[in-house]
Amino acid sequence: MTKEAELQTERVRAAFEQIPVAALATMTNAALMVAVLVADGQGGGAYAWLGTAVLVAAARLAAWWAYRRAGPAIAQHRRWSATSICGALAAGLLWGGGSVLLFPQAEIHQLFWAFVIAGMCAGAAALHYAHLPSALAFIIPASGLLAIRLALEGSGRRFAAAAMIGVFLVVLIVTVRRSSRYFGETLRLRLDLAERTRELDVSNAKLRTEMAERRATEASLRHAQKMEAVGQLAGGIAHDFNNVLQAVSGGIGLIRRRAGDRAAVERLAGMVEEAARRGASVTRRLLAFSRREELRPAALDAGELLGGLREVLSATLGPRIRVEVEAEPGLPPVLADRGQLETVLVNLATNARDAMPDGGTLTLSARMHRGGSEGGPCCLKGAGPYVHLAIADTGQGMSADTLARASEPFFTTKPQGQGTGLGLAMAQSFAKGSGGALAIVSEPGQGTMVSLWLPVTDQEARHHPGPASADWMPPPAGQGRRPRVLLVDDEPVVREVLAAQLGEAGYEVAEGGDGAAALDLLDRGAPFDILVTDLAMPGMDGVALIRAAQGRRPSLPAILVTGYAGDAAALAVGAAVDGTFALLRKPVTAQQLADQVAASLATAPADRLERTV
């Protein structure tokens, strides 16, 4: 399909749309002319001419109906163009032939006939200007034969009339040609616009397809990266925990073989305990990185915090690392989770120590910073103010490539087995979760500075107390009834260890393997002073068990032990449990468990123990 063929098809369609009007005008004017001819005494010929006019109009209407049924097919535009021309030519010959054969005798009638033909020609020009051949097929024979008829009469008046009709014919032809040209130009512009629109639609569809394919590719890439990260995580966790398990299982085997050597048993037990602490450290880093461990922000004195860390780091980083603290006086409190912030700073200090194998200086600094001012990252959420904490070392520094990937999860430059690659990722996650930001500046040979911005709060910073001793301790064996603990855990090994720890602390322990067993003991009226339960258990979990137990015994205190701190979000605000409860995070030492039980019993209602004796 060419554009010219489409253009001609549109011209033919415009011509056929006007055929009903043209046919109606032909029959109406023919009827008027017949009335004039009958008055002029030419009745017989007039009626025959009217019949011919009706046949021509009917034929044109039939062609119009056929065109409508067939539709404007581009492949047949020439045939329909010829049909339109033939219909117009027949109508033009009808009026021109009538001028030759039935021209009236009276001058008034002749003038009327001339005006009707002029009007018909003007109407044809107005109706069929889009299709120039159809317009000319009517105009030329209709007016041309009349002009010839007048010129052949030979008189000066007739010849002048013929000349006037000729001039009218020329002017009409020029006008209709110009109108046809304008129509063609307008139509061509419209077709060009339609073509451009189609091309734009195709381009948009192609762009949408490409965008969908890109999104699918990006999703696949993210999935692949996630799988790679999961694989790296699994490998790192497997390596770290295999080391932990190796130390634990090896230490236990040696303890069994050297049970009589007290010094060896104590040394090996310390090794096993250290391995357990290493495993707990790995899980804490994973929870902090995944942000499953809840942030509990509170007002903190940054200067006091850094001062306390200086003492700890000076003792743990080794004698070759000099730890300095530079804190502006009068710093306002910051809003952050103290435990998480300490963990982040210790991890960053450990990284700094590893970057200074030959020793160096580690500087912990704190100063005020207002968001949007020079020296801060662009990702700070608000205008501040913030406290800028910096950990700077004089170590080896990082190359640009290493610096670009330093905050990526699982990326590490340390030898295999000496790092999980979660330290900086955890720090960045903590900074964002606290409403602040983290940035790293480093150059090879120039050391590294990790900056942490934390939002300032109007709350008053509270002094961080050390571990408080419980005001209430269980009586030794033989001095009255020992407090009874209902211990619930679905893991037999864990339950047995916890029961042994509580028993050595002076408590009487009853064990339950699940929530149903614990409730059965309560329903049988067994006296218990406190409930210690795991959180994640099949069937009834720890939260549901505490609700049910305190529904039976409203004053029964409870301790929830879990390794998933994120699951305690509702508990932290008292939405899940209405009664007295406390939260312990695994792994928990015997001393921590005993202290928490003692503290919970100390805060229990005064008549609680009296009723259960």
Side-chain angles (χ1 to χ4, degrees):
M1 180 184 69
T2 64
K3 185 178 296 186
E4 189 62 31
E6 189 174 0
L7 181 63
Q8 294 301 325
T9 301
E10 286 297 314
R11 288 182 178 276
V12 171
R13 183 189 60 79
F16 269 92
E17 285 180 351
Q18 305 301 328
I19 285 180
V21 177
L24 179 62
T26 296
M27 289 187 291
T28 302
N29 288 321
L32 291 175
M33 288 308 305
V34 165
V36 171
L37 291 173
V38 169
D40 198 54
Q42 303 184 48
Y47 289 119
W49 181 81
L50 178 61
T52 304
V54 170
L55 290 177
V56 169
R60 297 190 72 185
L61 288 174
W64 168 77
W65 180 255
Y67 177 81
R68 284 194 60 187
R69 291 177 61 91
I74 295 178
Q76 300 179 355
H77 75 277
R78 289 188 176 86
R79 181 169 69 87
W80 290 114
S81 176
T83 303
S84 176
I85 294 171
C86 290
L89 180 61
L93 291 174
L94 173 73
W95 286 96
S99 301
V100 174
L101 300 176
L102 300 174
F103 199 63
Q105 297 300 319
E107 288 189 1
I108 186 64
H109 294 163
Q110 293 175 358
L111 183 61
F112 180 75
W113 184 284
F115 272 112
V116 169
I117 290 181
M120 291 291 292
C121 290
L127 292 176
H128 298 315
Y129 72 92
H131 192 237
L132 183 60
S134 296
L136 296 180
F138 180 89
I139 294 172
I140 292 175
S143 58
L145 290 177
L146 176 60
I148 293 172
R149 168 72 172 78
L150 293 175
L152 290 177
E153 289 189 2
S155 65
R157 291 178 58 190
R158 299 294 187 183
F159 189 82
M164 291 178 61
I165 293 174
V167 171
F168 171 76
L169 177 61
V170 171
V171 171
L172 196 58
I173 291 174
V174 171
T175 301
V176 76
R177 286 190 61 186
R178 181 175 297 176
S179 299
S180 180
R181 185 174 69 252
Y182 288 161
F183 175 83
E185 292 173 354
T186 303
L187 182 59
R188 192 179 300 275
L189 290 175
R190 193 179 71 186
L191 294 177
D192 288 343
L193 179 60
E195 183 179 359
R196 297 295 183 272
T197 303
R198 286 193 299 268
E199 292 175 355
L200 183 60
D201 290 340
V202 171
S203 298
N204 287 337
K206 185 178 180 181
L207 181 59
R208 285 192 294 268
T209 302
E210 291 177 352
M211 291 175 61
E213 292 175 352
R214 180 176 179 179
R215 284 194 293 266
T217 302
E218 289 176 349
S220 299
L221 178 59
R222 285 194 298 268
H223 181 71
Q225 291 174 338
K226 185 186 298 182
M227 291 299 100
E228 180 183 3
V230 169
Q232 292 176 348
L233 175 61
I237 293 175
H239 183 273
D240 288 343
F241 274 97
N242 278 336
N243 289 339
V244 172
L245 294 174
Q246 177 63 45
V248 171
S249 61
I252 291 174
L254 291 173
I255 289 174
R256 285 177 177 171
R257 288 195 295 272
R258 302 180 186 181
D261 188 347
R262 181 177 179 82
V265 168
E266 289 183 354
R267 180 175 58 82
L268 293 170
M271 180 188 69
V272 171
E273 188 176 4
E274 175 61 26
R277 281 196 293 267
R278 286 171 54 196
S281 175
V282 173
T283 59
R284 280 196 302 270
R285 290 192 182 195
L286 288 172
L287 287 172
F289 167 68
S290 64
R291 299 176 70 175
R292 291 288 305 277
E293 191 168 6
E294 295 175 359
L295 295 178
R296 291 186 172 87
L300 305 176
D301 186 326
E304 178 191 354
L305 179 68
L306 295 184
L309 281 178
R310 180 183 181 280
E311 299 179 5
V312 175
L313 295 175
S314 296
T316 58
L317 296 182
R320 292 184 297 179
I321 305 299
R322 181 182 177 184
V323 181
E324 297 181 352
V325 173
E326 299 175 357
E328 291 182 358
L331 285 175
V334 297
L335 189 63
D337 185 305
R338 185 183 188 94
Q340 288 293 325
L341 178 56
E342 289 177 343
T343 301
V344 166
L345 295 176
V346 169
N347 287 338
L348 295 176
T350 303
N351 288 344
R353 178 202 61 189
D354 295 341
M356 298 184 289
D358 299 326
T361 302
L362 174 66
T363 304
L364 307 177
S365 63
R367 60 185 179 86
M368 278 295 296
H369 174 84
R370 188 167 298 277
S373 62
E374 185 178 356
C378 60
C379 54
L380 286 176
K381 293 182 178 179
Y386 296 87
V387 169
H388 176 199
L389 302 178
I391 300 90
D393 63 61
T394 58
Q396 300 167 345
M398 291 184 281
S399 65
D401 293 340
T402 302
L403 181 61
R405 300 189 60 192
S407 298
E408 291 183 11
F410 318 113
F411 175 76
T412 179
T413 57
K414 297 178 181 179
Q416 185 174 3
Q418 296 186 19
T420 60
L422 291 176
L424 285 171
M426 181 185 73
Q428 190 171 56
S429 176
F430 166 78
K432 291 182 179 178
S434 301
L438 181 137
I440 308 172
V441 177
S442 182
E443 291 183 11
Q446 301 298 318
T448 300
M449 184 175 72
V450 180
S451 296
L452 183 65
W453 288 266
L454 295 175
V456 168
T457 179
D458 295 332
Q459 302 175 17
E460 183 178 353
R462 294 178 296 177
H463 175 67
H464 184 61
S469 60
D471 295 330
W472 185 92
M473 292 296 293
Q479 297 184 9
R481 187 188 69 80
R482 294 189 298 168
R484 288 177 56 85
V485 179
L486 177 55
L487 176 64
V488 187
D489 199 300
D490 62 309
E491 289 288 342
V493 175
V494 176
R495 188 171 67 247
E496 183 177 353
V497 171
L498 294 177
Q501 291 174 339
L502 290 170
E504 289 186 357
Y507 298 99
E508 184 179 344
V509 182
E511 301 178 29
D514 54 31
L519 293 179
D520 182 61
L521 290 174
L522 291 173
D523 291 338
R524 284 189 286 174
F528 293 106
D529 301 297
I530 190 169
L531 170 65
V532 179
T533 177
D534 185 28
L535 172 62
M537 296 186 296
M540 179 182 293
D541 64 15
V543 174
L545 175 58
I546 292 176
R547 287 202 202 100
Q550 292 182 342
R552 290 166 170 79
R553 301 186 185 184
S555 57
L556 180 67
I559 297 176
L560 187 65
V561 184
T562 177
Y564 297 94
D567 295 336
L571 297 178
V573 295
V577 176
D578 297 326
T580 303
F581 79 98
L583 180 67
L584 279 179
R585 301 181 183 181
K586 294 179 181 178
V588 59
T589 65
Q591 185 63 42
Q592 290 172 335
L593 179 60
D595 288 347
Q596 185 60 64
V597 172
S600 297
L601 290 174
T603 58
D607 62 341
R608 172 76 198 157
L609 292 175
E610 297 176 2
R611 291 199 306 267
T612 58
V613 171

